[in-house]
Amino acid sequence: MKKTLFYGGFAAAAALAVSGAVVAQQTQEITYTTADLGSGVYMLIGAGGNIGFSVGDDGIFVIDDQFDRNAEGVLTEIRKISDKPIFFVANTHWHGDHTGGNAKMADEGALIVAHDNVRKRMKTAQSIKGELMPTALPVITFSDSSTFHWNGQTIHAFHQPNAHTDGDTMIHFKEANIIHMGDTLFAGRYPYIDLKSGGTVDGYIANLESVAAMADAETKIIPGHGPLSTADDLTALAVVLKDAKALVKELVDKGMSEDDIVAADPLKAYNEKYAWGFITGERMTRTLVQDMAAKATDE
Ligand SMILES: [Zn+2]
């Protein structure tokens, strides 16, 4: 039941982002869960992408802010932990289930920080929808990395190229040994790799491996969706994705069409464990095929 809740909001936002379809307003009540990860860092699960936040003498530093429609609820939950001002909101990437609360956070006085491409993609999405919301856009952007010295932590925000999108940022609380990975990790599930936003399968796998390499057995990893994870979870998912890619490639190399590959169901051994409402076995297969086709065109 909880699993459906964590991922359900994501699917709605992604559908909106991808197709522009009108998604019915969810009226069900949102259950929030806040976990204390130590060193003043918390993980907040509600609707949409998982939030991380740091509290302390300097004020509040927030990572991602779910949807516009539950921004008030998110604030209420954060306020249960600290009533200090919110100074910064870092966006892990541009999707609406991670940036939807930006305008509300900016109203509260927060400066929104993200990779250059997050601002670009949010601006484009706003103009396509005809809803200009300048206060929702990041006001501080970076191309590679940025470091915050805040609440006694060294918070290293660094870009990883072309994984879930082309604007992904990992946020590493060095002393606390906590990393928020945004949607470069869907815990224990097939990931959504947004090819239309610059995501790639190889970039996704490379990022899982590089974050696993910088983590140790104690590192707490906040995924974009799903429960708190470990370096071993990253390695396990990378192994699945590499094998899934190889299984699909075998059929692509035989010259089979995308639909024929889907019909052959090359990921059947993994689907029961890893497929879910938004990324079914079929969708994962199509993503792998389309990613390979895009790479072939590039070469
Ligand atoms: Zn996303």
Side-chain angles (χ1 to χ4, degrees):
M1 184 64 217
K2 264 200 164 161
K3 200 179 285 164
T4 316
L5 189 69
F6 296 169
Y7 293 101
F10 169 79
L16 191 65
V18 171
S19 69
V22 178
V23 174
Q25 193 85 4
Q26 285 187 7
T27 48
Q28 87 224 40
E29 210 171 302
I30 297 164
T31 310
Y32 292 97
T33 314
T34 304
D36 183 351
L37 306 185
S39 309
V41 182
Y42 294 79
M43 170 174 166
L44 169 56
I45 296 174
N50 293 330
I51 289 173
F53 62 97
S54 156
V55 305
D57 291 342
D58 296 331
I60 305 175
F61 179 105
V62 180
I63 303 162
D64 288 349
D65 47 30
Q66 302 190 345
F67 298 101
D68 177 40
R69 64 180 162 78
N70 73 319
E72 201 66 58
V74 164
L75 266 176
T76 304
E77 294 304 308
I78 293 173
R79 289 281 172 241
K80 287 179 186 169
I81 308 293
S82 171
D83 57 6
K84 295 258 186 180
I86 298 172
F87 279 85
F88 299 107
V89 172
N91 292 144
T92 58
H93 65 293
W94 77 277
H95 288 151
D97 58 327
H98 295 256
T99 59
N102 278 6
K104 176 75 189 164
M105 292 293 183
D107 280 352
E108 293 285 308
L111 295 171
I112 314 290
V113 190
H115 184 263
D116 295 337
N117 291 339
V118 171
R119 184 178 159 93
K120 280 186 203 152
R121 289 201 179 274
M122 285 183 73
K123 246 182 132 165
T124 306
Q126 285 186 5
S127 52
I128 290 168
K129 278 203 288 182
E131 284 174 19
L132 294 181
M133 286 175 66
T135 60
L137 299 174
V139 292
I140 302 171
T141 64
F142 55 87
S143 58
D144 179 47
S145 73
S146 190
T147 303
F148 299 80
H149 305 273
W150 199 253
N151 291 334
Q153 290 291 320
T154 310
I155 307 170
H156 185 216
F158 62 98
H159 172 58
Q160 294 281 72
N162 306 94
H164 173 65
T165 66
D166 61 5
D168 299 314
T169 295
M170 307 300 110
I171 298 170
H172 184 194
F173 295 83
K174 290 192 173 177
E175 292 81 358
N177 199 11
I178 295 165
I179 305 170
H180 193 316
M181 291 180 65
D183 283 357
T184 66
L185 179 62
F186 284 76
R189 293 284 174 277
Y190 285 146
Y192 171 40
I193 300 174
D194 185 354
L195 303 178
K196 291 195 175 85
S197 294
T200 65
V201 172
D202 285 346
Y204 205 99
I205 294 168
N207 184 60
L208 287 170
E209 289 178 335
S210 86
V211 177
M214 63 181 277
D216 60 35
E218 310 298 313
T219 309
K220 292 173 177 143
I221 295 169
I222 304 175
H225 299 265
L228 192 69
S229 300
T230 65
D232 284 350
D233 297 326
L234 306 185
T235 307
L237 190 59
V239 168
V240 170
L241 286 177
K242 280 200 247 185
D243 192 39
K245 189 185 141 182
L247 290 166
V248 168
K249 185 169 187 300
E250 225 171 273
L251 306 187
V252 168
D253 288 349
K254 282 184 187 161
M256 286 169 70
S257 72
E258 183 177 320
D259 286 341
D260 286 349
I261 293 171
V262 166
D265 200 6
L267 306 186
K268 52 181 168 283
Y270 291 115
N271 288 341
E272 196 185 328
K273 186 157 178 215
Y274 292 93
W276 52 290
F278 187 55
I279 306 297
T280 57
E282 174 177 345
R283 183 127 194 223
M284 190 72 246
T285 305
R286 289 192 188 278
T287 298
L288 290 160
V289 174
Q290 288 165 13
D291 176 77
M292 272 170 227
K295 248 183 10 196
T297 320
D298 284 352
E299 275 156 13

PDB file of all heavy atoms in Angstrom, residues 10 93 95 97-98 164-165 183 186 192 225, ligand 1:
ATOM      1  N   PHE A  10       4.472  10.241  -8.245  1.00  0.00           N
ATOM      2  CA  PHE A  10       5.501  10.371  -9.265  1.00  0.00           C
ATOM      3  C   PHE A  10       4.910  10.122 -10.644  1.00  0.00           C
ATOM      4  O   PHE A  10       5.131  10.865 -11.577  1.00  0.00           O
ATOM      5  CB  PHE A  10       6.635   9.380  -9.006  1.00  0.00           C
ATOM      6  CG  PHE A  10       7.554   9.303 -10.168  1.00  0.00           C
ATOM      7  CD1 PHE A  10       8.505  10.286 -10.346  1.00  0.00           C
ATOM      8  CD2 PHE A  10       7.412   8.319 -11.125  1.00  0.00           C
ATOM      9  CE1 PHE A  10       9.323  10.267 -11.457  1.00  0.00           C
ATOM     10  CE2 PHE A  10       8.220   8.300 -12.226  1.00  0.00           C
ATOM     11  CZ  PHE A  10       9.180   9.279 -12.391  1.00  0.00           C
ATOM     12  N   HIS A  93      16.665  17.717  -9.904  1.00  0.00           N
ATOM     13  CA  HIS A  93      16.413  17.766 -11.350  1.00  0.00           C
ATOM     14  C   HIS A  93      15.099  18.503 -11.557  1.00  0.00           C
ATOM     15  O   HIS A  93      14.488  18.937 -10.588  1.00  0.00           O
ATOM     16  CB  HIS A  93      16.406  16.365 -11.971  1.00  0.00           C
ATOM     17  CG  HIS A  93      15.297  15.472 -11.499  1.00  0.00           C
ATOM     18  ND1 HIS A  93      15.215  15.016 -10.202  1.00  0.00           N
ATOM     19  CD2 HIS A  93      14.208  14.966 -12.132  1.00  0.00           C
ATOM     20  CE1 HIS A  93      14.140  14.249 -10.080  1.00  0.00           C
ATOM     21  NE2 HIS A  93      13.506  14.207 -11.231  1.00  0.00           N
ATOM     22  N   HIS A  95      11.936  17.720 -12.841  1.00  0.00           N
ATOM     23  CA  HIS A  95      10.574  17.159 -12.852  1.00  0.00           C
ATOM     24  C   HIS A  95       9.656  17.776 -11.782  1.00  0.00           C
ATOM     25  O   HIS A  95      10.097  18.066 -10.670  1.00  0.00           O
ATOM     26  CB  HIS A  95      10.616  15.640 -12.684  1.00  0.00           C
ATOM     27  CG  HIS A  95      11.119  14.927 -13.902  1.00  0.00           C
ATOM     28  ND1 HIS A  95      11.785  13.719 -13.843  1.00  0.00           N
ATOM     29  CD2 HIS A  95      11.052  15.262 -15.217  1.00  0.00           C
ATOM     30  CE1 HIS A  95      12.101  13.341 -15.076  1.00  0.00           C
ATOM     31  NE2 HIS A  95      11.669  14.249 -15.917  1.00  0.00           N
ATOM     32  N   ASP A  97       7.415  16.696  -9.783  1.00  0.00           N
ATOM     33  CA  ASP A  97       7.185  16.094  -8.462  1.00  0.00           C
ATOM     34  C   ASP A  97       8.378  16.326  -7.534  1.00  0.00           C
ATOM     35  O   ASP A  97       8.406  15.821  -6.407  1.00  0.00           O
ATOM     36  CB  ASP A  97       6.859  14.603  -8.579  1.00  0.00           C
ATOM     37  CG  ASP A  97       7.946  13.808  -9.286  1.00  0.00           C
ATOM     38  OD1 ASP A  97       8.605  14.350 -10.200  1.00  0.00           O
ATOM     39  OD2 ASP A  97       8.141  12.632  -8.925  1.00  0.00           O
ATOM     40  N   HIS A  98       9.378  17.092  -8.031  1.00  0.00           N
ATOM     41  CA  HIS A  98      10.541  17.465  -7.208  1.00  0.00           C
ATOM     42  C   HIS A  98      10.697  18.981  -7.087  1.00  0.00           C
ATOM     43  O   HIS A  98      11.403  19.460  -6.217  1.00  0.00           O
ATOM     44  CB  HIS A  98      11.837  16.884  -7.802  1.00  0.00           C
ATOM     45  CG  HIS A  98      11.872  15.388  -7.786  1.00  0.00           C
ATOM     46  ND1 HIS A  98      12.618  14.659  -6.892  1.00  0.00           N
ATOM     47  CD2 HIS A  98      11.200  14.476  -8.549  1.00  0.00           C
ATOM     48  CE1 HIS A  98      12.419  13.363  -7.105  1.00  0.00           C
ATOM     49  NE2 HIS A  98      11.564  13.225  -8.115  1.00  0.00           N
ATOM     50  N   HIS A 164      19.244  10.272 -15.199  1.00  0.00           N
ATOM     51  CA  HIS A 164      17.778  10.334 -15.249  1.00  0.00           C
ATOM     52  C   HIS A 164      17.332  11.440 -16.214  1.00  0.00           C
ATOM     53  O   HIS A 164      16.338  11.305 -16.930  1.00  0.00           O
ATOM     54  CB  HIS A 164      17.263  10.587 -13.828  1.00  0.00           C
ATOM     55  CG  HIS A 164      15.803  10.844 -13.696  1.00  0.00           C
ATOM     56  ND1 HIS A 164      14.849   9.901 -13.991  1.00  0.00           N
ATOM     57  CD2 HIS A 164      15.126  11.933 -13.258  1.00  0.00           C
ATOM     58  CE1 HIS A 164      13.643  10.404 -13.747  1.00  0.00           C
ATOM     59  NE2 HIS A 164      13.780  11.637 -13.314  1.00  0.00           N
ATOM     60  N   THR A 165      18.087  12.548 -16.231  1.00  0.00           N
ATOM     61  CA  THR A 165      17.884  13.677 -17.153  1.00  0.00           C
ATOM     62  C   THR A 165      19.280  14.234 -17.466  1.00  0.00           C
ATOM     63  O   THR A 165      20.272  13.613 -17.106  1.00  0.00           O
ATOM     64  CB  THR A 165      17.056  14.808 -16.474  1.00  0.00           C
ATOM     65  OG1 THR A 165      17.833  15.368 -15.401  1.00  0.00           O
ATOM     66  CG2 THR A 165      15.736  14.296 -15.908  1.00  0.00           C
ATOM     67  N   ASP A 183      16.187  11.304  -8.676  1.00  0.00           N
ATOM     68  CA  ASP A 183      15.652  10.169  -9.432  1.00  0.00           C
ATOM     69  C   ASP A 183      16.732   9.370 -10.165  1.00  0.00           C
ATOM     70  O   ASP A 183      16.416   8.536 -11.014  1.00  0.00           O
ATOM     71  CB  ASP A 183      14.577  10.639 -10.414  1.00  0.00           C
ATOM     72  CG  ASP A 183      13.260  10.917  -9.692  1.00  0.00           C
ATOM     73  OD1 ASP A 183      13.200  10.682  -8.469  1.00  0.00           O
ATOM     74  OD2 ASP A 183      12.310  11.371 -10.350  1.00  0.00           O
ATOM     75  N   PHE A 186      15.689   4.866  -8.135  1.00  0.00           N
ATOM     76  CA  PHE A 186      14.360   4.391  -7.743  1.00  0.00           C
ATOM     77  C   PHE A 186      14.663   3.125  -6.950  1.00  0.00           C
ATOM     78  O   PHE A 186      15.103   2.132  -7.519  1.00  0.00           O
ATOM     79  CB  PHE A 186      13.504   4.055  -8.968  1.00  0.00           C
ATOM     80  CG  PHE A 186      12.957   5.264  -9.670  1.00  0.00           C
ATOM     81  CD1 PHE A 186      13.775   6.034 -10.481  1.00  0.00           C
ATOM     82  CD2 PHE A 186      11.640   5.642  -9.497  1.00  0.00           C
ATOM     83  CE1 PHE A 186      13.282   7.158 -11.115  1.00  0.00           C
ATOM     84  CE2 PHE A 186      11.141   6.768 -10.134  1.00  0.00           C
ATOM     85  CZ  PHE A 186      11.958   7.531 -10.947  1.00  0.00           C
ATOM     86  N   TYR A 192      12.867   5.228 -13.975  1.00  0.00           N
ATOM     87  CA  TYR A 192      12.384   6.034 -15.095  1.00  0.00           C
ATOM     88  C   TYR A 192      13.603   6.775 -15.631  1.00  0.00           C
ATOM     89  O   TYR A 192      14.222   7.549 -14.903  1.00  0.00           O
ATOM     90  CB  TYR A 192      11.312   7.011 -14.610  1.00  0.00           C
ATOM     91  CG  TYR A 192      10.879   8.041 -15.634  1.00  0.00           C
ATOM     92  CD1 TYR A 192      10.704   7.700 -16.980  1.00  0.00           C
ATOM     93  CD2 TYR A 192      10.626   9.364 -15.259  1.00  0.00           C
ATOM     94  CE1 TYR A 192      10.300   8.639 -17.909  1.00  0.00           C
ATOM     95  CE2 TYR A 192      10.217  10.308 -16.189  1.00  0.00           C
ATOM     96  CZ  TYR A 192      10.058   9.947 -17.510  1.00  0.00           C
ATOM     97  OH  TYR A 192       9.659  10.889 -18.431  1.00  0.00           O
ATOM     98  N   HIS A 225      12.640   8.067  -5.118  1.00  0.00           N
ATOM     99  CA  HIS A 225      11.389   7.383  -4.760  1.00  0.00           C
ATOM    100  C   HIS A 225      11.726   6.059  -4.083  1.00  0.00           C
ATOM    101  O   HIS A 225      12.642   5.361  -4.518  1.00  0.00           O
ATOM    102  CB  HIS A 225      10.538   7.130  -6.011  1.00  0.00           C
ATOM    103  CG  HIS A 225      10.156   8.400  -6.709  1.00  0.00           C
ATOM    104  ND1 HIS A 225       8.965   9.051  -6.487  1.00  0.00           N
ATOM    105  CD2 HIS A 225      10.834   9.161  -7.596  1.00  0.00           C
ATOM    106  CE1 HIS A 225       8.926  10.159  -7.211  1.00  0.00           C
ATOM    107  NE2 HIS A 225      10.045  10.249  -7.906  1.00  0.00           N
TER     108      HIS A 225
HETATM  109 ZN    ZN B   1      12.276  12.681 -12.049  1.00  0.00          ZN
END
